[in-house]
Amino acid sequence: MSSQIDHLLDETRKFPPSEDFVAQSISSPELYERAAADREAFWGEQSRELLHWHKPFTRVLDWSAPPFAKWFDDGELNVAYNCLDRHVEAGNGDRVALHWEGEPGDSRTITYAELTDEVKRVANVLTDLGIGHGDRVAIYLPMIPEAIASMLAVARLGAIHSVVFGGFSADSLRARIDDAGAKVVITADGGYRKGRVSALKPAVDQALGDRGDGEQQTVEHVLVVRRGGNEVDWVEGRDVWWHDAVPAASAEHVAEAFPSENPLYILYTSGTTGKPKGILHTSGGYLTQAAYSHKYVFDLHPETDVFWCTADIGWVTGHSYVAYGPLANGATQVLYEGTPDAPHPGRWWEIIEKYKVSIFYTAPTAIRSFMKIGRAVPQKFDLSSLRLLGSVGEPINPEAWMWYREVIGGNKAPIVDTWWQTETGAIMVSALPGVTSTKPGSAQVPLPGISIDVVDEQGAEVGNGNGGLLVITEPWPSMLRGIWGDPERYKETYWEKFEDQGYYFAGDGARLDDDGDLWLLGRVDDVMNVSGHRLSTAEIESSLVAHEATAEAAVVGAADETTGQAVVAFVIIKESYLAAHDPAGLAQLLRLWVGEQIGAIARPRDVYIVGELPKTRSGKIMRRLLRDVAEGREVGDTTTLADTAVMSIISAQVK
Ligand code: 6R9
């Protein structure tokens, strides 16, 4: 790791924005000045400018009971109205909201007027299914227009959605449905992935099936979109076809105003313990910063730009930069159902050419896998429409950054590397194109209105040229309002570490270079980042030990050329299991087991069956040493181990 950091800090290339870009850019240095002069007034101004408030707010921030913030809290708005109706009322109903592209090549173009109509119908259907203000709705859908319509319909009713990534297993879905107490699940029969229909409804059926623990489950209805055309089981009275209910519903629906702090959604993310955290976001502040960041970071010209964020709606990036930010700003965007390489490795570039995408936002892991295939593939397509590129999810190494700039951006499109988290709700750190000279590998500077610092373990500023922990020093509009049902965990996880200073602890290591630009150095806790997705070591360990063969397990994130980090597991097998079973194929069995338990993204790259795990005298597993083994390095300092011989035994077993 440290050699990698040194290498990063040797990076001195800088790319100032071109004159042409500056001339048309909506940002200017004045934005920073206004925010610095009066932060709260700045956010108040932004919110009034970007959103329609049914009842205007008179207070910007109430921080009288930290860490529980209230933004714009005496104002009232409707999130869906802001994303839909007001654009139609302003005469932009014919503007394309979604250019949707199915994986097999089918496509649909949906205008703002059409999407508004659809959302009103879905809102009426959900009302009929018993959903009202404050109820929870789980959404387990592929990347189809109905996914966006579902989120907005839930928001329109003042209800709360919990989108669960379609790649998650029935068990993961069940845990999220239970934790939120969802009343309705919206799903599909299946969706297209890698050239085949991948079924979704069976996982919902399984999640809602008898759990054998006598617990009442909360779901009353399942609304099912037909997409894959695959056969599905049907529960009469519980299941409703979308294509029966939605077209038959009325397209009249008046958006009611809700208080600014009305909960909007829960999104589960991995923490340092096994149980995922239900991150809670509310309405007015969240939508303000989603719209603001989308507008300025992406230099959005809604009349002419075509925006494409490749994230799935199951992740926060899909919430803020597929659903809420772009729609609040009246943008035209691309929504793609499938994988980047189906049916051919140039699929993404073909889509950019087809829709003349001008702003493209994706993750470093995708860029690295395209680099591996080679530039000949993208070079077959006309990518000249691209004028701005974005990156999110993990640090982007300078090599990948340069490749992205040259091969995809034609050496002209600025790249914005955006740092943020599920918890922050929206982008916090990024260059402003048209203002900032960009630097390969650095996420650079906090957005106007955002206060970030790098501090040491005691909370003291480290200053330029030094590394430490990234903190957010002032509340921000789209900050999480808590962890669903667990206020204590919220305080402990994010606020306890720097309680005296009142800083939010992000869990990331960072460094400030001599210019004061930020370099993100990865998580400092037991959270891994695999292809830009957060996974917790504890969650995968508990899944491994849930298998009858496993006595003990330790999981580490090991550096991986394509995925950033990869899951590597070290497992001790029970004597009793070995006595009765053939150990051949056991590693593969456990890999698949984790995939079934959590989802394919959590499946370990390697499972090593070992006899012992390295532990300190107090019994803590020393993952640092296992990481050395997993990354094929000389094993580090073992002096604090209870048994110092253990590492040589493990190294031998792994070879
Ligand atoms: C938006 C999103 C958050 C974690 C975060 C950090 C890493 C995200 C990054 C980045 C370096 C960037 N991360 N963006 N690291 N540079 N531009 O990814 O949310 O899934 O909650 O992950 O991802 O470690 O703490 P989430």
Side-chain angles (χ1 to χ4, degrees), residues 117-318:
D117 179 278
E118 174 96 342
V119 168
K120 288 179 175 177
R121 289 175 199 272
V122 180
N124 284 322
V125 169
L126 289 174
T127 306
D128 289 345
L129 295 179
I131 295 301
H133 177 235
D135 287 332
R136 276 80 63 204
V137 176
I139 298 176
Y140 187 64
L141 280 171
M143 288 291 281
I144 53 178
E146 288 81 357
I148 307 290
S150 297
M151 292 167 80
L152 291 169
V154 172
R156 192 174 186 91
L157 297 173
I160 306 170
H161 58 68
S162 163
V163 181
V164 180
F165 174 55
F168 276 133
S169 67
D171 282 349
S172 298
L173 176 62
R174 168 183 292 184
R176 286 157 174 76
I177 289 173
D178 286 355
D179 187 73
K183 222 164 144 181
V184 164
V185 180
I186 308 180
T187 189
D189 49 359
Y192 287 86
R193 276 197 80 74
K194 299 188 198 290
R196 290 187 292 122
V197 171
S198 157
L200 285 168
K201 177 133 191 313
V204 176
D205 293 335
Q206 202 185 322
L208 302 184
D210 182 18
R211 53 198 64 201
D213 55 8
E215 273 206 33
Q216 256 339 84
Q217 65 100 8
T218 52
V219 173
E220 292 166 13
H221 291 287
V222 180
L223 184 58
V224 189
V225 180
R226 185 148 70 201
R227 167 61 186 151
N230 47 313
E231 286 276 326
V232 290
D233 290 339
W234 205 253
V235 178
E236 283 308 327
R238 185 195 74 180
D239 299 350
V240 179
W241 279 115
W242 177 289
H243 61 257
D244 286 339
V246 175
S250 161
E252 299 292 321
H253 188 275
V254 179
E256 195 187 323
F258 296 100
S260 177
E261 284 297 338
N262 198 56
L264 177 61
Y265 67 81
I266 305 167
L267 183 59
Y268 289 84
T269 188
S270 296
T272 48
T273 66
K275 189 172 180 267
K277 301 177 285 200
I279 302 300
L280 178 68
H281 283 290
T282 60
S283 306
Y286 172 79
L287 198 63
T288 297
Q289 199 177 326
Y292 160 80
S293 55
H294 180 255
K295 176 175 172 178
Y296 289 103
V297 171
F298 298 110
D299 187 49
L300 183 76
H301 295 66
E303 303 80 14
T304 48
D305 274 318
V306 178
F307 177 77
W308 184 18
C309 164
T310 64
D312 190 280
I313 49 144
W315 311 110
V316 74
T317 307

Side-chain angles (χ1 to χ4, degrees), residues 85-106:
D85 312 47
R86 67 167 169 147
H87 303 314
V88 179
E89 288 165 15
N92 293 321
D94 291 338
R95 185 182 295 166
V96 173
L98 301 173
H99 285 295
W100 176 74
E101 181 83 9
E103 194 187 77
D106 50 338

Side-chain angles (χ1 to χ4, degrees), residues 317 393-395 417-422 508 520 523 529 534:
T317 307
E394 54 179 318
D417 176 5
T418 63
W419 178 89
W420 60 294
Q421 310 178 295
T422 306
D508 278 315
L520 274 302
R523 302 288 308 187
N529 191 328
R534 271 163 75 174

